[in-house]
Amino acid sequence: MNKALGVSELSHSEHLYLEALTEVNQNATSWDTHRRVLSIMAGVGTVNDISHCILGLTRYRCFLANLHGSQFGRGAQVAQQPTTRIRVDLRQLAKS
């Protein structure tokens, strides 16, 4: 029945693996960590499988996690690039 509906069946070990990664995802504090964990989970199951584990997960977030995995590797940390900000005094702009 699942094959006819196009629903994938996970093995017991894959299901346990997804449960462990779900727990890691729940303990994550930033989107960067969530994205890294989701990029690992994307290799194990489909979006539907993962959305059963993580409530409120959107297809867009899964897309971003897959993109992260293809660009940087599964679970890879992305080096933060420093950003430079320049403060401009509004009085100086008014004189121009």
Side-chain angles (χ1 to χ4, degrees):
M1 180 72 163
N2 284 342
K3 280 187 177 183
L5 294 174
V7 178
S8 66
E9 292 184 26
L10 296 175
S11 68
H12 182 66
S13 61
E14 288 174 329
H15 184 70
L16 292 176
Y17 189 60
L18 280 179
E19 283 181 355
L21 287 172
T22 301
E23 186 175 343
V24 170
N25 190 52
Q26 289 172 348
N27 293 328
T29 56
S30 68
W31 162 240
D32 185 51
T33 307
H34 286 287
R35 181 177 53 208
R36 290 169 58 194
V37 172
L38 284 173
S39 71
I40 297 170
M41 293 175 86
V44 177
T46 64
V47 175
N48 291 332
D49 296 331
I50 297 169
S51 64
H52 287 296
C53 298
I54 301 174
L55 299 177
L57 183 67
T58 63
R59 288 192 178 276
Y60 179 70
R61 288 224 166 181
C62 285
F63 169 76
L64 290 179
N66 284 331
L67 183 63
H68 174 82
S70 64
Q71 286 180 338
F72 304 106
R74 277 200 232 163
Q77 184 174 3
V78 179
Q80 297 293 326
Q81 296 182 359
T83 57
T84 305
R85 294 183 184 206
I86 300 172
R87 183 173 292 247
V88 177
D89 189 5
L90 293 177
R91 290 176 288 175
Q92 290 177 339
L93 290 176
K95 291 180 184 178
S96 300

Coordinates of all heavy atoms in Angstrom, one line a residue:
M1 N 0.8 -1.2 0.0 CA 0.0 0.0 0.0 C 0.9 1.3 0.0 O 0.6 2.2 -0.7 CB -0.9 0.0 1.2 CG -1.8 1.2 1.3 SD -3.1 1.0 0.1 CE -4.3 2.2 0.7
N2 N 1.9 1.3 0.8 CA 2.8 2.4 0.9 C 3.5 2.7 -0.4 O 3.7 3.8 -0.8 CB 3.8 2.3 2.0 CG 3.2 2.5 3.4 OD1 2.2 3.1 3.5 ND2 3.9 2.0 4.4
K3 N 3.9 1.6 -1.1 CA 4.6 1.8 -2.4 C 3.6 2.3 -3.4 O 4.0 3.2 -4.2 CB 5.1 0.4 -2.9 CG 6.4 0.1 -2.3 CD 7.0 -1.2 -2.9 CE 8.4 -1.5 -2.3 NZ 9.0 -2.7 -3.0
A4 N 2.4 1.9 -3.4 CA 1.4 2.4 -4.3 C 1.1 3.9 -4.1 O 0.8 4.6 -5.1 CB 0.1 1.6 -4.2
L5 N 1.2 4.3 -2.9 CA 0.9 5.7 -2.6 C 2.2 6.6 -2.7 O 2.2 7.8 -2.6 CB 0.4 5.9 -1.1 CG -1.0 5.3 -0.9 CD1 -1.3 5.4 0.6 CD2 -2.0 6.0 -1.7
G6 N 3.3 5.9 -2.9 CA 4.6 6.7 -3.1 C 5.2 7.1 -1.7 O 6.0 7.9 -1.7
V7 N 4.7 6.4 -0.7 CA 5.3 6.7 0.7 C 6.4 5.8 0.9 O 6.3 4.6 0.8 CB 4.2 6.5 1.8 CG1 4.7 6.7 3.1 CG2 3.0 7.4 1.5
S8 N 7.6 6.3 1.3 CA 8.7 5.5 1.6 C 8.6 4.8 2.9 O 8.0 5.4 3.9 CB 10.0 6.3 1.5 OG 10.0 7.3 2.6
E9 N 9.2 3.7 3.0 CA 9.2 2.9 4.3 C 10.7 3.0 4.8 O 11.6 2.7 4.1 CB 8.8 1.5 4.1 CG 7.4 1.3 3.7 CD 6.9 -0.1 3.6 OE1 7.6 -1.0 4.3 OE2 6.0 -0.4 2.8
L10 N 10.8 3.5 6.0 CA 12.1 3.5 6.7 C 12.4 2.3 7.4 O 11.5 1.7 8.0 CB 12.2 4.7 7.6 CG 12.0 6.1 7.0 CD1 12.0 7.2 8.1 CD2 13.1 6.4 6.1
S11 N 13.6 1.9 7.4 CA 14.0 0.7 8.2 C 14.0 1.1 9.7 O 14.0 2.3 10.0 CB 15.4 0.2 7.8 OG 16.4 1.2 8.1
H12 N 14.1 0.1 10.5 CA 14.1 0.4 12.0 C 15.3 1.3 12.4 O 15.2 2.2 13.1 CB 14.1 -0.9 12.8 CG 14.1 -0.7 14.2 ND1 13.0 -0.2 14.9 CD2 15.0 -1.0 15.2 CE1 13.3 -0.1 16.2 NE2 14.5 -0.6 16.4
S13 N 16.5 1.0 11.8 CA 17.7 1.7 12.1 C 17.6 3.2 11.6 O 18.0 4.1 12.3 CB 18.9 1.1 11.6 OG 18.9 1.0 10.2
E14 N 17.0 3.4 10.4 CA 16.8 4.7 9.9 C 15.8 5.5 10.8 O 16.0 6.7 11.0 CB 16.3 4.7 8.5 CG 17.3 4.2 7.4 CD 16.7 4.0 6.1 OE1 15.5 3.7 6.0 OE2 17.5 4.2 5.1
H15 N 14.8 4.8 11.2 CA 13.8 5.5 12.1 C 14.5 5.9 13.4 O 14.3 7.0 13.9 CB 12.7 4.6 12.4 CG 11.6 5.2 13.2 ND1 10.8 6.2 12.7 CD2 11.2 5.0 14.5 CE1 9.9 6.5 13.6 NE2 10.1 5.9 14.7
L16 N 15.3 5.1 14.0 CA 16.0 5.4 15.2 C 17.0 6.5 15.0 O 17.2 7.4 15.9 CB 16.8 4.2 15.8 CG 15.9 3.0 16.3 CD1 16.8 1.9 16.7 CD2 15.1 3.5 17.5
Y17 N 17.6 6.5 13.8 CA 18.6 7.6 13.5 C 17.9 8.9 13.4 O 18.3 10.0 13.9 CB 19.3 7.2 12.2 CG 20.4 8.1 11.8 CD1 21.5 8.3 12.6 CD2 20.4 8.8 10.6 CE1 22.6 9.1 12.2 CE2 21.5 9.6 10.2 CZ 22.5 9.7 11.0 OH 23.6 10.5 10.7
L18 N 16.7 8.9 12.7 CA 15.9 10.2 12.6 C 15.4 10.7 14.0 O 15.4 11.9 14.2 CB 14.7 10.0 11.7 CG 15.0 10.0 10.2 CD1 13.7 9.8 9.4 CD2 15.6 11.3 9.8
E19 N 15.1 9.7 14.9 CA 14.6 10.1 16.2 C 15.8 10.8 17.0 O 15.6 11.8 17.7 CB 14.1 8.9 17.0 CG 12.7 8.5 16.6 CD 12.3 7.3 17.4 OE1 13.0 6.8 18.2 OE2 11.1 6.9 17.2
A20 N 17.0 10.3 16.8 CA 18.1 10.9 17.5 C 18.4 12.2 17.0 O 18.7 13.2 17.7 CB 19.4 9.9 17.4
L21 N 18.4 12.4 15.6 CA 18.6 13.7 15.0 C 17.5 14.7 15.4 O 17.8 15.9 15.5 CB 18.8 13.5 13.5 CG 20.1 12.9 13.0 CD1 20.0 12.6 11.6 CD2 21.3 13.8 13.4
T22 N 16.3 14.2 15.6 CA 15.2 15.0 16.0 C 15.5 15.6 17.3 O 15.2 16.8 17.6 CB 13.9 14.3 16.0 OG1 13.6 13.8 14.7 CG2 12.7 15.1 16.4
E23 N 16.0 14.8 18.2 CA 16.3 15.3 19.6 C 17.4 16.3 19.5 O 17.4 17.3 20.2 CB 16.7 14.1 20.5 CG 17.0 14.5 21.9 CD 17.3 13.3 22.8 OE1 17.0 12.2 22.4 OE2 17.8 13.5 23.9
V24 N 18.4 16.1 18.7 CA 19.5 17.1 18.5 C 18.9 18.4 18.0 O 19.3 19.5 18.4 CB 20.6 16.6 17.6 CG1 21.6 17.6 17.2 CG2 21.3 15.4 18.2
N25 N 18.0 18.3 17.0 CA 17.4 19.5 16.4 C 16.6 20.2 17.4 O 16.6 21.5 17.4 CB 16.5 19.0 15.2 CG 16.0 20.2 14.4 OD1 16.8 21.0 14.0 ND2 14.8 20.3 14.2
Q26 N 15.9 19.5 18.3 CA 15.1 20.2 19.3 C 16.0 21.0 20.3 O 15.5 22.0 20.9 CB 14.2 19.2 20.1 CG 13.1 18.7 19.2 CD 12.3 17.6 19.9 OE1 12.8 17.0 20.9 NE2 11.2 17.2 19.3
N27 N 17.2 20.5 20.6 CA 18.1 21.1 21.5 C 18.9 22.2 20.9 O 19.6 22.9 21.6 CB 19.0 20.1 22.2 CG 18.2 19.1 23.0 OD1 17.2 19.5 23.6 ND2 18.7 17.9 23.1
A28 N 18.8 22.4 19.6 CA 19.6 23.4 18.9 C 19.0 24.8 19.3 O 17.9 25.0 19.5 CB 19.5 23.2 17.4
T29 N 20.0 25.8 19.3 CA 19.6 27.1 19.7 C 19.5 28.1 18.6 O 19.0 29.2 18.7 CB 20.5 27.6 20.8 OG1 21.8 27.6 20.3 CG2 20.4 26.8 22.1
S30 N 20.1 27.8 17.4 CA 20.1 28.7 16.3 C 19.7 28.1 15.0 O 19.7 26.8 14.9 CB 21.6 29.3 16.2 OG 22.4 28.3 15.7
W31 N 19.3 28.9 14.1 CA 18.9 28.4 12.8 C 20.0 27.7 12.1 O 19.9 26.7 11.3 CB 18.3 29.5 11.9 CG 18.2 29.1 10.5 CD1 18.8 29.8 9.5 CD2 17.6 28.0 9.8 NE1 18.6 29.2 8.2 CE2 17.8 28.1 8.5 CE3 16.8 27.0 10.3 CZ2 17.3 27.1 7.6 CZ3 16.3 26.0 9.4 CH2 16.6 26.1 8.1
D32 N 21.2 28.2 12.3 CA 22.4 27.6 11.6 C 22.6 26.1 12.1 O 22.8 25.2 11.2 CB 23.7 28.4 12.0 CG 24.9 27.8 11.3 OD1 24.8 27.7 10.0 OD2 25.9 27.5 11.9
T33 N 22.4 25.8 13.3 CA 22.4 24.5 13.8 C 21.3 23.6 13.3 O 21.5 22.5 12.9 CB 22.5 24.5 15.4 OG1 23.5 25.3 15.8 CG2 22.7 23.1 15.9
H34 N 20.1 24.2 13.3 CA 18.9 23.5 12.7 C 19.2 23.1 11.3 O 18.9 22.0 10.8 CB 17.7 24.4 12.8 CG 17.1 24.5 14.1 ND1 16.4 23.5 14.8 CD2 17.1 25.5 15.0 CE1 16.0 23.9 16.0 NE2 16.4 25.2 16.1
R35 N 19.7 24.1 10.5 CA 20.0 23.8 9.1 C 21.0 22.7 8.9 O 20.9 21.8 8.0 CB 20.5 25.1 8.4 CG 20.8 25.0 7.0 CD 21.2 26.3 6.3 NE 22.3 26.9 7.1 CZ 22.5 28.2 7.2 NH1 21.7 29.0 6.5 NH2 23.5 28.6 7.8
R36 N 22.0 22.7 9.8 CA 23.1 21.6 9.7 C 22.5 20.2 10.0 O 22.8 19.3 9.3 CB 24.2 21.9 10.6 CG 25.0 23.2 10.1 CD 26.0 23.7 11.2 NE 26.9 22.6 11.6 CZ 27.7 22.7 12.6 NH1 27.6 23.8 13.4 NH2 28.6 21.8 12.9
V37 N 21.6 20.2 11.0 CA 21.0 18.9 11.4 C 20.1 18.4 10.3 O 20.0 17.3 9.9 CB 20.3 19.0 12.8 CG1 19.5 17.8 13.1 CG2 21.3 19.3 13.9
L38 N 19.3 19.4 9.8 CA 18.3 19.0 8.7 C 19.1 18.5 7.4 O 18.6 17.7 6.7 CB 17.4 20.2 8.4 CG 16.3 20.5 9.3 CD1 15.6 21.8 9.0 CD2 15.3 19.4 9.4
S39 N 20.2 19.1 7.2 CA 21.0 18.6 6.0 C 21.4 17.2 6.2 O 21.6 16.5 5.2 CB 22.2 19.5 5.7 OG 23.2 19.4 6.7
I40 N 21.7 16.8 7.4 CA 22.0 15.3 7.7 C 20.7 14.5 7.5 O 20.7 13.4 6.9 CB 22.6 15.2 9.1 CG1 23.9 15.9 9.2 CG2 22.8 13.7 9.4 CD1 24.5 16.0 10.6
M41 N 19.6 15.0 8.1 CA 18.4 14.2 8.0 C 17.9 14.0 6.6 O 17.2 13.0 6.3 CB 17.3 14.9 8.9 CG 17.6 14.9 10.4 SD 16.4 15.9 11.3 CE 15.1 14.6 11.6
A42 N 18.1 15.0 5.7 CA 17.7 14.9 4.4 C 18.3 13.7 3.6 O 17.6 13.2 2.7 CB 18.0 16.2 3.6
G43 N 19.4 13.3 4.0 CA 20.0 12.1 3.4 C 19.4 10.8 3.9 O 19.6 9.8 3.2
V44 N 18.7 10.8 5.0 CA 18.1 9.6 5.5 C 16.7 9.4 5.0 O 16.3 8.3 4.7 CB 18.1 9.7 7.1 CG1 17.5 8.4 7.7 CG2 19.5 9.8 7.6
G45 N 15.9 10.4 5.0 CA 14.5 10.2 4.7 C 14.0 11.4 3.8 O 14.7 12.3 3.5
T46 N 12.7 11.2 3.4 CA 12.1 12.3 2.5 C 11.6 13.4 3.4 O 11.6 13.3 4.6 CB 10.9 11.7 1.7 OG1 9.9 11.2 2.7 CG2 11.4 10.5 0.9
V47 N 11.1 14.4 2.7 CA 10.6 15.6 3.5 C 9.4 15.2 4.3 O 9.3 15.6 5.4 CB 10.1 16.7 2.5 CG1 9.5 17.8 3.2 CG2 11.3 17.2 1.7
N48 N 8.6 14.3 3.8 CA 7.4 13.8 4.6 C 7.9 13.0 5.8 O 7.3 13.1 6.9 CB 6.5 12.9 3.7 CG 5.8 13.7 2.6 OD1 5.6 14.9 2.8 ND2 5.5 13.1 1.5
D49 N 8.9 12.2 5.7 CA 9.4 11.4 6.8 C 10.0 12.4 7.9 O 9.7 12.2 9.1 CB 10.6 10.5 6.4 CG 10.1 9.4 5.4 OD1 8.9 9.0 5.5 OD2 10.9 9.0 4.6
I50 N 10.7 13.4 7.5 CA 11.3 14.3 8.4 C 10.2 15.2 9.0 O 10.3 15.5 10.2 CB 12.4 15.2 7.7 CG1 13.5 14.3 7.2 CG2 12.9 16.2 8.6 CD1 14.4 15.0 6.3
S51 N 9.2 15.6 8.3 CA 8.1 16.4 8.8 C 7.3 15.7 9.9 O 6.7 16.3 10.7 CB 7.3 17.0 7.7 OG 6.6 16.0 7.1
H52 N 7.3 14.4 9.8 CA 6.6 13.6 10.9 C 7.4 13.7 12.2 O 6.8 13.6 13.3 CB 6.5 12.1 10.5 CG 5.4 11.9 9.5 ND1 4.1 12.2 9.6 CD2 5.5 11.4 8.2 CE1 3.4 11.9 8.6 NE2 4.3 11.4 7.6
C53 N 8.7 13.9 12.1 CA 9.5 13.9 13.3 C 9.6 15.4 13.9 O 9.6 15.6 15.1 CB 11.0 13.5 13.0 SG 11.1 11.8 12.4
I54 N 9.6 16.3 13.0 CA 9.7 17.7 13.4 C 8.5 18.5 13.0 O 8.2 18.7 11.8 CB 11.0 18.4 12.7 CG1 12.2 17.7 13.1 CG2 11.0 19.9 13.1 CD1 13.4 18.1 12.3
L55 N 7.7 18.8 14.0 CA 6.4 19.5 13.8 C 6.7 20.9 13.3 O 7.5 21.6 13.8 CB 5.6 19.5 15.1 CG 5.2 18.1 15.6 CD1 4.5 18.2 16.9 CD2 4.4 17.3 14.6
G56 N 5.9 21.3 12.4 CA 5.9 22.7 11.9 C 7.1 22.9 10.9 O 7.3 24.1 10.5
L57 N 7.7 21.9 10.4 CA 8.8 22.0 9.4 C 8.2 22.3 8.1 O 7.2 21.7 7.6 CB 9.6 20.7 9.4 CG 10.8 20.7 8.4 CD1 11.8 21.7 9.0 CD2 11.4 19.3 8.3
T58 N 8.7 23.4 7.4 CA 8.2 23.7 6.1 C 9.1 23.2 5.0 O 10.2 22.8 5.2 CB 8.2 25.3 6.0 OG1 9.5 25.8 6.1 CG2 7.3 25.9 7.1
R59 N 8.5 23.1 3.8 CA 9.3 22.6 2.7 C 10.4 23.6 2.3 O 11.5 23.1 1.9 CB 8.4 22.4 1.5 CG 7.4 21.2 1.6 CD 6.8 21.0 0.2 NE 5.9 19.8 0.3 CZ 6.3 18.5 0.2 NH1 7.6 18.3 0.0 NH2 5.5 17.5 0.3
Y60 N 10.2 24.8 2.6 CA 11.2 25.8 2.3 C 12.5 25.6 3.2 O 13.6 25.7 2.7 CB 10.7 27.2 2.6 CG 11.7 28.3 2.3 CD1 12.2 28.6 1.0 CD2 12.2 29.1 3.4 CE1 13.1 29.6 0.8 CE2 13.2 30.0 3.2 CZ 13.6 30.3 1.9 OH 14.5 31.3 1.7
R61 N 12.2 25.3 4.5 CA 13.4 25.0 5.4 C 14.1 23.7 4.9 O 15.3 23.7 5.0 CB 12.9 24.9 6.8 CG 12.5 26.3 7.4 CD 13.0 26.4 8.7 NE 12.9 27.8 9.1 CZ 13.3 28.3 10.2 NH1 13.9 27.5 11.1 NH2 13.2 29.6 10.5
C62 N 13.3 22.8 4.5 CA 14.0 21.5 4.0 C 14.8 21.9 2.7 O 15.9 21.3 2.5 CB 12.9 20.5 3.6 SG 12.3 19.7 5.1
F63 N 14.3 22.7 1.9 CA 15.0 23.1 0.7 C 16.3 23.8 1.1 O 17.4 23.5 0.5 CB 14.1 24.1 -0.2 CG 14.9 24.8 -1.3 CD1 15.2 24.1 -2.4 CD2 15.3 26.1 -1.1 CE1 15.9 24.7 -3.4 CE2 16.0 26.7 -2.2 CZ 16.3 26.0 -3.3
L64 N 16.3 24.7 2.0 CA 17.5 25.4 2.5 C 18.5 24.4 3.1 O 19.7 24.5 2.9 CB 17.1 26.5 3.5 CG 16.4 27.7 3.0 CD1 16.1 28.7 4.1 CD2 17.2 28.4 1.9
A65 N 18.0 23.4 3.8 CA 18.9 22.4 4.4 C 19.5 21.6 3.3 O 20.7 21.3 3.3 CB 18.1 21.5 5.3
N66 N 18.8 21.2 2.2 CA 19.3 20.5 1.1 C 20.3 21.3 0.3 O 21.4 20.8 -0.1 CB 18.2 20.0 0.1 CG 17.5 18.8 0.7 OD1 18.0 18.0 1.4 ND2 16.2 18.7 0.3
L67 N 20.1 22.6 0.2 CA 21.0 23.5 -0.5 C 22.3 23.6 0.3 O 23.4 23.6 -0.2 CB 20.3 24.9 -0.6 CG 21.1 25.9 -1.4 CD1 21.4 25.5 -2.8 CD2 20.4 27.3 -1.3
H68 N 22.1 23.7 1.6 CA 23.3 23.7 2.5 C 24.2 22.5 2.4 O 25.4 22.6 2.3 CB 22.9 23.9 4.0 CG 24.0 23.8 5.0 ND1 24.8 24.9 5.3 CD2 24.5 22.8 5.7 CE1 25.7 24.5 6.2 NE2 25.5 23.3 6.4
G69 N 23.5 21.3 2.3 CA 24.2 20.1 2.2 C 24.9 20.0 0.8 O 26.1 19.5 0.8
S70 N 24.3 20.5 -0.2 CA 25.0 20.4 -1.5 C 26.1 21.4 -1.7 O 27.1 21.2 -2.4 CB 23.9 20.6 -2.7 OG 23.4 21.8 -2.6
Q71 N 26.0 22.6 -1.0 CA 27.0 23.6 -1.2 C 28.2 23.4 -0.3 O 29.3 23.5 -0.7 CB 26.4 25.0 -0.8 CG 25.5 25.6 -1.9 CD 25.0 26.9 -1.5 OE1 24.9 27.3 -0.3 NE2 24.6 27.7 -2.5
F72 N 27.9 23.0 1.0 CA 29.0 22.9 2.0 C 29.3 21.5 2.5 O 30.3 21.3 3.2 CB 28.7 23.8 3.2 CG 28.4 25.2 2.8 CD1 27.2 25.7 2.8 CD2 29.5 26.1 2.4 CE1 26.9 27.1 2.4 CE2 29.2 27.4 2.0 CZ 27.9 27.9 2.0
G73 N 28.4 20.6 2.2 CA 28.5 19.2 2.7 C 27.5 19.0 3.9 O 27.1 20.0 4.6
R74 N 27.1 17.8 4.1 CA 26.1 17.5 5.1 C 26.7 17.8 6.5 O 27.7 17.3 6.9 CB 25.7 16.0 5.1 CG 24.7 15.7 4.1 CD 24.1 14.4 4.5 NE 24.1 13.5 3.3 CZ 23.9 12.2 3.4 NH1 23.7 11.6 4.5 NH2 23.9 11.5 2.3
G75 N 26.0 18.6 7.3 CA 26.3 18.9 8.6 C 27.5 19.8 8.8 O 28.0 20.1 9.9
A76 N 28.0 20.4 7.6 CA 29.2 21.2 7.7 C 28.9 22.6 8.3 O 27.8 23.1 8.0 CB 29.8 21.4 6.3
Q77 N 29.9 23.1 9.0 CA 29.7 24.5 9.6 C 30.2 25.5 8.5 O 31.2 25.3 7.9 CB 30.5 24.6 10.8 CG 30.3 25.9 11.5 CD 31.0 26.0 12.9 OE1 31.7 25.0 13.2 NE2 30.9 27.1 13.5
V78 N 29.4 26.5 8.4 CA 29.8 27.6 7.5 C 30.5 28.7 8.2 O 30.1 29.1 9.3 CB 28.5 28.2 6.8 CG1 28.9 29.3 5.9 CG2 27.7 27.1 6.1
A79 N 31.7 29.0 7.8 CA 32.5 30.0 8.4 C 31.8 31.4 8.3 O 31.4 31.8 7.2 CB 33.9 30.1 7.8
Q80 N 31.6 32.1 9.4 CA 31.0 33.4 9.4 C 31.9 34.4 8.9 O 33.1 34.5 9.3 CB 30.6 33.7 10.8 CG 29.5 32.8 11.4 CD 28.2 32.9 10.7 OE1 27.8 33.9 10.3 NE2 27.5 31.8 10.6
Q81 N 31.5 35.2 7.9 CA 32.3 36.2 7.4 C 31.9 37.5 8.1 O 30.7 37.8 8.3 CB 32.0 36.4 5.9 CG 32.4 35.2 5.1 CD 32.2 35.3 3.6 OE1 31.7 36.3 3.2 NE2 32.6 34.3 2.9
P82 N 32.9 38.3 8.5 CA 32.6 39.5 9.3 C 32.0 40.5 8.3 O 32.3 40.6 7.2 CB 34.0 40.0 9.7 CG 35.0 39.3 8.8 CD 34.4 38.0 8.4
T83 N 31.1 41.3 8.9 CA 30.4 42.3 8.2 C 30.9 43.7 8.7 O 31.0 43.8 9.9 CB 28.9 42.3 8.3 OG1 28.5 42.3 9.7 CG2 28.4 41.0 7.7
T84 N 31.1 44.6 7.9 CA 31.6 45.9 8.3 C 30.4 46.9 8.2 O 29.7 47.0 7.1 CB 32.7 46.4 7.4 OG1 33.7 45.4 7.4 CG2 33.3 47.7 7.8
R85 N 30.2 47.7 9.2 CA 29.1 48.7 9.2 C 29.7 50.0 9.4 O 30.6 50.2 10.3 CB 28.1 48.4 10.3 CG 27.4 47.1 10.1 CD 26.4 46.9 11.1 NE 25.8 45.6 10.9 CZ 24.5 45.3 11.3 NH1 23.8 46.1 12.0 NH2 24.0 44.1 11.1
I86 N 29.2 51.0 8.7 CA 29.7 52.3 8.8 C 28.6 53.2 9.3 O 27.5 53.2 8.8 CB 30.2 52.9 7.5 CG1 31.4 52.0 7.0 CG2 30.7 54.3 7.6 CD1 31.8 52.3 5.6
R87 N 28.8 53.9 10.4 CA 27.8 54.8 10.9 C 28.0 56.2 10.3 O 29.1 56.7 10.3 CB 27.9 54.9 12.4 CG 26.9 55.8 13.0 CD 26.9 55.7 14.5 NE 26.5 54.3 14.9 CZ 25.5 54.1 15.6 NH1 24.7 55.0 16.0 NH2 25.2 52.8 16.0
V88 N 26.9 56.8 9.8 CA 27.0 58.1 9.1 C 26.2 59.0 10.0 O 25.0 58.7 10.3 CB 26.4 58.0 7.7 CG1 26.4 59.4 7.1 CG2 27.3 57.0 6.9
D89 N 26.8 60.1 10.3 CA 26.1 61.2 11.0 C 25.1 61.9 10.1 O 25.5 62.3 9.0 CB 27.1 62.2 11.6 CG 26.4 63.1 12.6 OD1 25.2 63.0 12.9 OD2 27.2 64.1 13.0
L90 N 23.8 62.0 10.5 CA 22.8 62.6 9.6 C 23.1 64.0 9.4 O 22.7 64.5 8.3 CB 21.4 62.4 10.3 CG 20.9 60.9 10.4 CD1 19.6 60.9 11.1 CD2 20.8 60.3 9.0
R91 N 23.7 64.7 10.3 CA 24.1 66.1 10.1 C 25.0 66.3 8.9 O 25.0 67.3 8.2 CB 24.7 66.7 11.3 CG 23.6 66.9 12.4 CD 24.2 67.4 13.7 NE 25.0 66.3 14.2 CZ 25.8 66.3 15.3 NH1 25.9 67.4 15.9 NH2 26.4 65.2 15.7
Q92 N 25.9 65.3 8.7 CA 26.9 65.4 7.6 C 26.1 65.2 6.3 O 26.5 65.8 5.3 CB 28.0 64.3 7.7 CG 28.9 64.6 8.9 CD 30.0 63.5 9.0 OE1 29.7 62.4 8.6 NE2 31.1 63.8 9.6
L93 N 25.1 64.4 6.3 CA 24.3 64.2 5.0 C 23.5 65.4 4.7 O 23.4 65.7 3.5 CB 23.4 63.0 5.2 CG 24.1 61.6 5.3 CD1 23.0 60.6 5.5 CD2 24.8 61.3 4.0
A94 N 23.1 66.1 5.7 CA 22.2 67.3 5.4 C 23.1 68.4 4.8 O 22.6 69.3 4.1 CB 21.6 67.8 6.7
K95 N 24.4 68.5 5.1 CA 25.2 69.6 4.5 C 25.5 69.4 3.1 O 25.8 70.4 2.4 CB 26.6 69.6 5.3 CG 26.4 70.1 6.7 CD 27.8 70.0 7.4 CE 27.6 70.4 8.9 NZ 28.9 70.4 9.6
S96 N 25.4 68.2 2.5 CA 25.8 68.0 1.1 C 24.8 68.6 0.2 O 23.8 68.8 0.2 CB 25.9 66.5 0.9 OG 26.9 65.9 1.7

